[in-house]
Amino acid sequence: MSEMIKDYIQHRLVELGYPDDLTIEFSLGYCQGDGVAFYGKIGDDAAERLMKRLLNPEREGLNSVDRVKNLMAFKHIEGMFRVIREYSSVELEISRNDFGNHYSHFNTMTLSDESESIDQLSEEDSGVTDDELKAWGDVWLRFYEALKQDIVDTSKSLESEGYKLIEAMSGEEEVSWEFSTENYIVRLSEMPSRDFDMDGWDEEIIHDTWKSMIDGEERVVGLKAEVLDRETETALGEDSLYGIVYATGDRTYGGYRSELVSNAIDSARGFINRLKAKVA
């Protein structure tokens, strides 16, 4: 399960524009200090992707003033990065602070900027006017402050989504359905799905499944069907299957309940017949 959550966190970070080689750490045990953290360097390409997202004038939640400021900043981004790649470099880094020695959450990360300053560029070297360089400096400061806040917001969002993934998976053994006859009990139990992984799945299906789990539309479960002796509750036959993805609220578990119960009954019938043959 932890590997699946880590894969999801990396996918979301890349989707948001962060590099694909960040070190990801998380602890999601419903304890104080738990959360998600990510560390590493942010170079030219990732910085441009992040800037285009964070300074997008159409970004949701902006007030009218910030929308205008982003509109003015956004038009500089591509030209600014063309010059940065030729004459300078971006060296942003998300590093671990003292809290990060013990915890992994939104407050364990510190953003630092060792980039060669834009305002050190000269018109003679780069062909960019002083007025443009000043505007670029303002854009960079606006981006830097936005990125600091985005790191915090992204960490909190990933923590929440990580918990939703955990909650969408069965964690403890629990009887979900049973019926009894005069001599037998037929029981279906949900089993922990902690080893669930998506190795070999199509990428689009993986992403759709993550989304449906986070949205509460699907769950992942292990199922065990048993036929028990009613008097002693000794298992006479059983069948089980793990990693079942099914629509939340579907008590048939996508049809697997019927299949597993039928297999368990066949197994119990074979066991009873063998006992009878020995006695005879």
Side-chain angles (χ1 to χ4, degrees):
M1 180 174 64
S2 61
E3 193 63 32
M4 186 266 284
I5 292 175
K6 184 177 180 181
D7 289 344
Y8 173 76
I9 291 171
Q10 183 178 49
H11 161 74
R12 283 292 292 136
L13 287 171
V14 171
E15 196 172 54
L16 291 169
Y18 288 92
D20 62 3
D21 59 352
L22 294 179
T23 297
I24 296 168
E25 297 182 4
F26 63 93
S27 178
L28 299 173
Y30 300 94
C31 297
Q32 184 177 2
D34 282 358
V36 174
F38 42 94
Y39 307 103
K41 295 183 182 298
I42 298 174
D44 300 349
D45 293 342
E48 183 174 4
R49 291 194 301 270
L50 287 163
M51 186 179 289
K52 285 181 176 179
R53 176 172 65 85
L54 295 174
L55 301 188
N56 188 334
E58 302 303 321
R59 192 178 180 194
E60 289 186 8
L62 292 178
N63 59 41
S64 57
V65 173
D66 285 336
R67 185 173 290 108
V68 170
K69 288 182 178 179
N70 278 11
L71 186 63
M72 295 173 64
F74 198 82
K75 64 183 181 181
H76 290 288
I77 294 176
E78 290 191 3
M80 182 171 67
F81 274 92
R82 277 198 300 269
V83 173
I84 285 174
R85 287 187 176 92
E86 185 170 357
Y87 298 100
S88 184
S89 63
V90 171
E91 294 183 23
L92 295 166
E93 183 171 6
I94 306 169
S95 57
R96 185 191 314 272
N97 59 32
D98 290 342
F99 293 112
N101 294 325
H102 304 285
Y103 305 106
S104 297
H105 56 70
F106 69 91
N107 203 32
T108 65
M109 297 171 286
T110 298
L111 179 66
S112 59
D113 184 6
E114 300 298 327
S115 305
E116 296 179 22
S117 178
I118 289 174
D119 58 21
Q120 289 180 356
L121 295 171
S122 67
E123 182 176 351
E124 181 180 352
D125 291 335
S126 64
V128 181
T129 67
D130 289 341
D131 287 343
E132 285 178 310
L133 291 174
K134 181 181 183 305
W136 291 1
D138 293 340
V139 170
W140 186 263
L141 289 175
R142 184 169 178 77
F143 163 62
Y144 183 75
E145 292 303 316
L147 182 58
K148 284 199 297 185
Q149 184 60 49
D150 189 68
I151 290 167
V152 172
D153 294 343
T154 298
S155 172
K156 290 179 178 179
S157 177
L158 290 173
E159 177 186 354
S160 174
E161 291 166 5
Y163 277 124
K164 288 178 180 178
L165 288 173
I166 292 172
E167 290 162 3
M169 303 175 71
S170 58
E172 304 294 337
E173 182 173 352
E174 180 181 356
V175 176
S176 64
W177 175 88
E178 72 175 30
F179 74 88
S180 300
T181 66
E182 182 179 352
N183 297 314
Y184 307 108
I185 299 171
V186 181
R187 177 177 294 165
L188 186 77
S189 300
E190 290 191 4
M191 305 295 290
S193 297
R194 301 189 187 280
D195 295 330
F196 176 68
D197 65 61
M198 298 177 173
D199 289 347
W201 287 33
D202 180 81
E203 187 172 338
E204 184 176 352
I205 295 175
I206 291 174
H207 298 166
D208 288 346
T209 301
W210 280 334
K211 184 178 185 304
S212 63
M213 291 171 69
I214 290 169
D215 291 344
E217 296 172 355
E218 288 186 327
R219 296 188 70 242
V220 179
V221 70
L223 292 176
K224 179 174 69 173
E226 299 174 286
V227 177
L228 310 173
D229 179 88
R230 183 166 182 172
E231 182 176 348
T232 65
E233 292 208 9
T234 301
L236 305 175
E238 67 176 59
D239 193 22
S240 59
L241 188 63
Y242 294 85
I244 297 171
V245 181
Y246 73 100
T248 303
D250 176 10
R251 303 317 297 167
T252 73
Y253 298 94
Y256 285 109
R257 184 183 77 181
S258 175
E259 181 179 338
L260 290 170
V261 167
S262 178
N263 291 343
I265 291 173
D266 287 345
S267 176
R269 186 178 292 118
F271 176 75
I272 293 169
N273 288 338
R274 288 193 295 274
L275 284 180
K276 289 179 177 179
K278 286 183 179 180
V279 172

